[in-house]
Amino acid sequence: MSLRAALLALISAGPSTGYDAAKRFGSSVGHLWHAPDSQIYPELRRMQADGLLDAEQVPWGKKQATKTQYTITDAGRRALAEWQRTPLDYAPERDQAHLLAAYFEWAPDDDEPRKRLTEHIAYFTEARESARRQIAGIDERNNPTLARRLETSAPEDHERIIAYKRFAYAGKIARAEAEIAWAQEGLRLLESLTNSSI
Amino acid sequence: MSLRAALLALISAGPSTGYDAAKRFGSSVGHLWHAPDSQIYPELRRMQADGLLDAEQVPWGKKQATKTQYTITDAGRRALAEWQRTPLDYAPERDQAHLLAAYFEWAPDDDEPRKRLTEHIAYFTEARESARRQIAGIDERNNPTLARRLETSAPEDHERIIAYKRFAYAGKIARAEAEIAWAQEGLRLLESLTNSSI
DNA sequence: CTCAATTAACTATGTCGATAGGTATTTGAG
DNA sequence: CTCAAATACCTATCGACATAGTTAATTGAG
């Protein structure tokens, strides 16, 4: 369901071919909901079958090749509103890093947990930077998908459209910072356990 | 891989039948890595086939019915250590709540985003309470799986075994608090956008 | 002009996980 | 003693997702 919503949100900004959608996905909505190409193509076809998208064959290249261009329909826009009206069903907890940490005593030595926590910090530091870049891209108006979206919407809505996207990425930053702080606490814990056993 | 690790961690505390494992799972390691029964039974069989567990048929009831009791092998313990030595591969970002928030402008009215954020706060408030209860259970030594684990391990290791589990749940609490703070910020944002458009 | 790299558009295959069953056995209430 | 509820132990099915391809057209370097 979320992939469908993410694609609707993407295509609501303007028509896309499958390839466009797959590529644009990665640099916009894909930061919040990842999907590989192999999921995007069939989902677009299903969405067209369900009436959420219109599909048009447009020529591609000099030979008789064509590509499929998708446009959001009114039903697609209604589906987006419906999505906003539906409570989320939260996925059950599945957190590798916390699971691993709960069983650090199985590590052959203290160095391994230290490495895992350091990797955790590196991963979420990069995630935080990525989110910050997204926010910078929003503020400087150089995100192409957002630019298309703003062109096709009323000027009085621009403020909130931007505010919501900033807010979503601010959440990613907050999450990343919580993970970094946790892992740093873990490094201190390892330190104190090492010292207490000398 | 994580399900396997979670089951090894569980069974390292003492032998379990499939049913035992499935039930105990939910009240211990399942708080960090959820899995339904339908995944646990076949995974136990695969782990036995791979030599990580020994399986013994023990009688069950008065008729000739039996149940399968699994015990961790040395290979299983080595697999746990190996798991601790392997860097995590982080799952690609997939966050329904943040995706939804990024497109709040599609909501039919301001009330729907407010509901979603309120639900988000409720969900993570419960998650935080659950993690706090786990920590309390650890501190008061009334978590049965932990109790078994401590019985079968050297007293000098008890401190760190407990510390790691507290640490893992502390991470869940930190995560939950970050989500709650984020959603509250969102409620304030909605408020300010409503006021600015009157 | 030709060939390698890039762009465009997908498909195949397998595993993970969610949902929803099903079938024995035991326990305890009346 | 018998019948319903609870306990114990699984299985089937399907969609989501990951990994790893394939095919065809276009562009640009030499």
Side-chain angles (χ1 to χ4, degrees), chain B residues 2 7 9 11 27 37 62-63 80 89 91 93 103 115 122-123 128 132 137 150 153 161-162 165 174 193:
Chain B
S2 286
L7 284 169
I11 294 178
S27 58
D37 294 5
K62 283 156 190 163
K63 307 268 173 76
L80 270 174
D89 66 334
E93 182 76 16
Y103 295 95
K115 283 185 206 161
Y123 176 79
R128 183 181 57 188
R132 283 182 179 157
L150 292 177
S153 61
I161 289 174
I162 288 166
K165 278 152 202 61
L193 287 170

Side-chain angles (χ1 to χ4, degrees), chain B residues 33-34 36 38-39 60-63 65:
Chain B
W33 190 272
H34 170 84
S38 62
Q39 244 187 308
W60 177 62
K62 283 156 190 163
K63 307 268 173 76

Side-chain angles (χ1 to χ4, degrees), chain A residues 2-71:
Chain A
S2 286
L3 174 58
R4 187 165 275 219
L7 284 169
L8 280 173
L10 183 72
I11 295 179
S12 73
S16 293
T17 65
Y19 185 82
D20 279 348
K23 292 303 133 177
R24 262 199 272 269
F25 200 86
S27 57
S28 62
V29 67
H31 285 112
L32 300 171
W33 190 272
H34 170 85
D37 295 6
S38 62
Q39 243 187 309
I40 292 176
Y41 286 105
E43 184 63 24
L44 287 171
R45 258 178 273 125
R46 275 190 294 264
M47 289 163 72
Q48 191 238 323
D50 293 345
L52 306 179
L53 299 177
D54 274 339
E56 191 193 356
Q57 294 299 317
V58 301
W60 177 63
K62 282 156 188 164
K63 306 271 172 76
Q64 63 275 58
T66 59
K67 50 188 178 177
T68 308
Q69 186 165 54
Y70 294 100
T71 311

Side-chain angles (χ1 to χ4, degrees), chain B residues 1-2 9 15 41 43 53 55-56 64 69 74 77 89 95 98 102 116 124-125 150 155 163 176 194:
Chain B
M1 214 57 235
S2 286
Y41 286 105
E43 184 63 24
L53 300 178
E56 191 193 357
Q64 63 275 58
Q69 186 166 56
D74 282 342
R77 275 179 282 264
D89 66 334
D95 191 319
H98 291 226
R116 298 299 88 74
F124 279 103
T125 299
L150 292 177
T194 304

Side-chain angles (χ1 to χ4, degrees), chain A residues 138-180:
Chain A
I138 290 165
D139 288 344
E140 292 154 21
R141 303 287 190 282
N142 54 22
N143 179 310
T145 307
L146 178 58
R148 288 181 94 199
R149 175 83 178 97
L150 292 178
E151 276 170 34
T152 57
S153 60
E156 64 268 28
D157 293 333
H158 289 190
E159 184 193 357
R160 59 174 58 218
I161 289 173
I162 288 166
Y164 294 146
K165 278 154 203 59
R166 285 185 113 266
F167 171 59
Y169 286 106
K172 282 197 70 174
I173 292 175
R175 163 84 199 276
E177 280 171 351
E179 295 291 344
I180 292 167

Side-chain angles (χ1 to χ4, degrees), chain B residues 10-11 14-22 24 44 68-71 148:
Chain B
L10 183 73
I11 294 178
S16 294
T17 65
Y19 185 82
D20 280 348
R24 264 201 270 269
L44 288 171
T68 309
Q69 186 166 56
Y70 294 101
T71 311
R148 289 180 93 199

Side-chain angles (χ1 to χ4, degrees), chain A residues 62-115:
Chain A
K62 282 156 188 164
K63 306 271 172 76
Q64 63 275 58
T66 59
K67 50 188 178 177
T68 308
Q69 186 165 54
Y70 294 100
T71 311
I72 193 167
T73 63
D74 282 341
R77 273 179 282 264
R78 281 195 301 274
L80 271 174
E82 183 56 35
W83 170 52
Q84 287 287 335
R85 247 185 278 113
T86 311
L88 294 176
D89 66 335
Y90 287 84
E93 183 75 17
R94 236 174 229 120
D95 192 318
Q96 282 192 73
H98 291 228
L99 177 64
L100 190 78
Y103 296 95
F104 272 168
E105 73 264 20
W106 282 101
D109 59 69
D110 273 15
D111 228 48
E112 295 296 335
R114 225 184 304 280
K115 283 185 205 159

